[in-house]
Structures are given as C-alpha cells and as structure tokens.
Amino acid sequence: MNQYIRLDIKKIEQMQELELLHLLQLNFDFSNEFIKISDSKNKLDYLLFNIPIGKNIVFDWCESEKFKTADSNLQKAFYFVLLKVITDNLSELHQHLLKPNLNLIRPELITFCQNYATITRIQWLVLPSDLQIGIPVSLIKQKSGNLWNYISDSKTELKNIVMSHYQLVAEDRYKEARDLLNNNVKHELLVNHSVDFEPKAEKINRKPKAINRVKTKRKSETRNISKSIGEVKPHKNSFIKKFMNRLKNANRYKKTVPSETTVPLNPQDDLFRLAMLSEGPPGTLAESEGIRAFVLVDEFLIGRDRMICDLVLTQSTIGRVHARISRHGSHYFLEDLGSANGTTLDEKKLNKHQTYLLPDQCRLKFADRTFYFHVE
C-alpha cells in the first residue's frame, strides 16, 4: 500500500514542463515517482508523489529514542553516509544537466531502506530548482529547513563541515564535497554505507553450547540434503538446471525493465508531432537537398547497420549503431550509444549513454555527418 504527497505548483512555464518530462523519462531510482495533474476547471497544477509505506523516514529515525541514545560517532557516521549518498545522486543529476531543488531535500521527505547496518537505498523528491512549489504545512515537521540545516541544528559540532558540504554541492563541486565527507569519518563506513546501531550485548548473551548444537544439527541436515541431491537422476538434474536458468533470466529481465509512471494527458499538448532529420537547414531551399528522414517510430536508430538502423549512414566514421532518437509523448530525446567518434547537439559533445532533450531546429552531428532536427 502506498501514500501520496501533494505539492502545488505556483507557476510553471514550458521549459519547466520539459524538465519534468525529462525527469520522468530518465526514471532515477532515487527519485520518488510522481504524476502531474492539471485541473483546468480550477486553474490548478499540482504534483502527486508516490511514497511507499514501510520505508524509514529520515526525520522519524533521527528523532527516535534508539538513534538519540546511540553513540555520538555512530550518529555522525549516519549523517555523513546519508550526505554521501545524496552527493552521488546530485552528481548523477548534474551529468544529465539537471539542477534539483535542494530545499526539497528535507529529512521528513527522505525515505531510506536499511538492511541490518547498511543503508541500501534512499528516495527523495527530485524537482527542478526553478520550479515554484508549495509544501503543505501538514508535511513540515521541523523548522530548520533542508537536511543540511537540520543536521547543523541537531548536532552543532558538525555545523562547519555540513554547511561547507552544502556550499560545495550548491556550486556543483561534487568531488570536493565527497572528499570532505571522506576526510571526516571512517572510510569503511562511507564505502559500505554501513552504520551499526544494534547493541552488541545481545550477541554475547547467547549460550555457546546451544549454538554448537544448532551448528551440528545444521551440518547433519546439510549432509543429508547433499546426499539426496546426489541421488537425483540425470534427466531430473537437467530439468532443475533449466528451471533455475529460466528463473535467473526472468529476474534479470525484471531488473532491466524500468518502471513506468502514467502521466495524465494535457489537452493543450499535441498528441503527435512529426519529426524530421534533414541535411539542409529547415525552412530554406537547401532543406530538400541531401538526405531527409522522418522519425516515425518510438526508437529511431542511426548508424551503419542496414539490418537494424532506421537511418543508414555508410561512412566508416559512423558507428554500427551510432545514436538513438526516442519519442516520449510529443517530445524527442537523443542518446549517443557509445560511438567512437561521438555525437554533438548544437556544437556540444554529448556524454555516451545519456539522454538529452531535442529542441526544435537544432543541429546534430554524428561523427562528421551533419543533420538538422525539425518538428512540425
């Protein structure tokens, strides 16, 4: 069962709409899923964020008796591990040219999973920094503000380090921010994202003899199981192997398929926009010269391979499958698929295997071949 948080949008422009769409298309695992609702009758726009029930909320955990009575070094390590994970998240967003709103990184809006002593995953509300959002009063549980201010107020001896870290991430200096944390807490805690709050006395109180009996019993059970497995006939063993391989492949497929979020249709958007690549600049007499290709599929491939690619370019400088144009709703995105000679968008070289929003009438270059992208 899930719960939802509603955030009202005070004002939204076309560029911010595109940034929201870009976030949905990238589908970061550390971002809470959301949908945008447009209420034309009441002239309201708002976002609904999906918050899974059962996960730990950072604020509730930090205010709990167990955390407050824990060793001071463990508290410090937990805060620094949390900041390091968020630093990695911000760095990944930066690689996709996205600048999130740091004021939404509040302890009461961050959830995390913990497997024994290890923080396995966190999620927070990822939204563009220039999007004006109203946070309901019912969600605000502390007056400090974002996570950095909260940690500074809760543990004053960390204030200088934490606020220095905030300054570094605000300036997109993520490597320096990560180094700052590494220099101020035990390295193994940060590497493993591990902070152990479990009292060690519980482990000592167990009787050694009981443990030995259990171990002996388990060993005998293991031997019996091994015997029984050894007695399985070859054809059955082959069947088991095939069944296990099918399970592994099924699990691998589930991990690679991203979860999709349903976005309500905006009646103001075109349901379908026809895109075209041309060697000549659009709107000029030269547009009809050279190659012209219409993007009529959701995944449009550019490269040398005639069996796979939609736009075939035979030059040896072009990769076998060089780049991909994907359609999401009425918008198009470009991704370089690891080509040797690269792809540029309006003279800017793209990072490999990262998606970029394609503006209308932009100039693309696949190795040494130039095309213009146009949407009608």
Side-chain angles (χ1 to χ4, degrees):
M1 185 177 179
N2 296 336
Q3 60 180 348
Y4 292 88
I5 288 178
R6 170 175 167 168
L7 299 182
D8 292 331
I9 301 174
K10 296 179 180 179
K11 184 181 179 182
I12 187 166
E13 298 176 356
Q14 184 178 5
M15 183 55 68
Q16 292 158 350
E17 287 264 19
L18 295 177
E19 287 178 334
L20 287 176
L21 185 66
H22 197 191
L23 276 171
L24 284 171
Q25 199 257 353
L26 291 169
N27 194 29
F28 295 107
D29 61 356
F30 53 82
S31 172
N32 290 105
E33 293 182 345
F34 67 89
I35 57 173
K36 177 180 171 290
I37 307 294
S38 295
D39 185 349
S40 56
K41 183 178 179 181
N42 297 313
K43 296 182 179 179
L44 290 174
D45 290 312
Y46 57 90
L47 301 172
L48 285 181
F49 277 89
N50 179 12
I51 309 295
I53 292 176
K55 289 188 177 181
N56 299 310
I57 297 173
V58 168
F59 176 78
D60 294 344
W61 169 244
C62 292
E63 294 296 318
S64 68
E65 191 68 23
K66 187 174 185 179
F67 183 85
K68 289 193 169 185
T69 55
D71 182 77
S72 178
N73 289 328
L74 287 177
Q75 294 176 1
K76 173 182 172 182
F78 176 82
Y79 286 137
F80 283 180
V81 167
L82 190 61
L83 288 176
K84 182 179 183 293
V85 176
I86 288 175
T87 304
D88 294 340
N89 296 164
L90 293 172
S91 177
E92 187 174 348
L93 289 167
H94 182 67
Q95 292 173 8
H96 290 273
L97 308 179
L98 292 169
K99 181 76 174 177
N101 188 342
L102 298 182
N103 290 323
L104 286 176
I105 307 179
R106 299 175 63 95
E108 62 266 52
L109 300 179
I110 304 172
T111 59
F112 70 97
C113 295
Q114 192 168 1
N115 182 13
Y116 296 101
T118 306
I119 297 175
T120 56
R121 184 184 179 189
I122 72 164
Q123 284 189 311
W124 46 284
L125 310 187
V126 180
L127 287 176
S129 59
D130 56 350
L131 185 65
Q132 298 181 27
I133 290 290
I135 303 176
V137 178
S138 58
L139 293 178
I140 299 174
K141 297 181 180 179
Q142 45 84 30
K143 297 179 181 178
S144 299
N146 63 32
L147 180 64
W148 293 269
N149 289 329
Y150 173 77
I151 296 173
S152 299
D153 292 346
S154 301
K155 212 160 186 62
T156 53
E157 64 268 30
L158 301 180
K159 184 172 183 178
N160 291 336
I161 299 170
V162 171
M163 295 317 294
S164 297
H165 180 268
Y166 177 77
Q167 189 64 36
L168 290 171
V169 297
E171 295 172 3
D172 302 330
R173 295 157 62 187
Y174 302 110
K175 185 181 183 305
E176 295 172 59
R178 199 178 293 110
D179 291 341
L180 176 68
L181 297 175
N182 286 337
N183 293 334
N184 284 279
V185 74
K186 286 184 179 179
H187 183 65
E188 62 271 16
L189 291 176
L190 284 177
V191 170
N192 299 322
H193 294 176
S194 177
V195 185
D196 193 355
F197 285 89
E198 294 300 324
K200 295 181 180 178
E202 293 179 5
K203 298 177 184 177
I204 300 170
N205 290 337
R206 295 178 183 174
K207 295 180 181 180
K209 290 183 179 179
I211 291 173
N212 291 335
R213 282 199 298 270
V214 171
K215 281 185 178 177
T216 306
K217 187 178 179 182
R218 284 180 181 170
K219 281 182 182 178
S220 63
E221 287 175 354
T222 305
R223 281 196 296 269
N224 292 334
I225 290 168
S226 300
K227 275 186 180 180
S228 62
I229 289 173
E231 291 167 2
V232 175
K233 293 181 181 179
H235 72 277
K236 287 187 178 179
N237 198 15
S238 175
F239 173 76
I240 291 169
K241 282 183 180 178
K242 286 181 181 178
F243 180 72
M244 292 304 294
N245 285 334
R246 287 183 67 185
L247 279 180
K248 285 179 183 176
N249 290 331
N251 288 333
R252 192 182 299 124
Y253 177 74
K254 287 176 185 175
K255 288 176 184 175
T256 56
V257 176
S259 59
E260 295 182 355
T261 304
T262 302
V263 183
L265 290 174
N266 188 342
Q268 296 176 352
D269 290 342
D270 297 328
L271 294 178
F272 182 76
R273 301 168 71 203
L274 185 63
M276 181 184 71
L277 288 172
S278 65
E279 287 192 286
T284 67
L285 294 175
E287 181 181 355
S288 58
E289 297 176 0
I291 295 175
R292 298 175 72 197
F294 291 92
V295 181
L296 302 175
V297 291
D298 291 336
E299 300 287 335
F300 185 87
L301 297 176
I302 301 105
R304 292 198 323 268
D305 195 321
R306 296 179 182 275
M307 299 296 293
I308 300 174
C309 297
D310 301 286
L311 173 58
V312 178
L313 305 174
T314 57
Q315 283 82 357
S316 58
T317 53
I318 302 292
R320 190 179 72 85
V321 184
H322 192 102
R324 170 171 54 206
I325 294 175
S326 56
R327 181 174 62 198
H328 188 87
S330 58
H331 301 282
Y332 293 84
F333 298 86
L334 176 65
E335 178 185 358
D336 183 283
L337 297 176
S339 65
N341 294 311
T343 305
T344 63
L345 167 59
D346 287 335
E347 307 302 328
K348 180 178 179 181
K349 189 169 183 179
L350 305 185
N351 293 327
K352 299 181 192 307
H353 303 294
Q354 291 186 17
T355 55
Y356 296 83
L357 182 68
L358 282 176
D360 188 20
Q361 304 210 11
C362 61
R363 189 168 180 259
L364 307 178
K365 199 169 182 181
F366 308 106
D368 54 355
R369 292 293 299 272
T370 301
F371 285 85
Y372 294 89
F373 177 78
H374 175 55
V375 179
E376 295 179 351

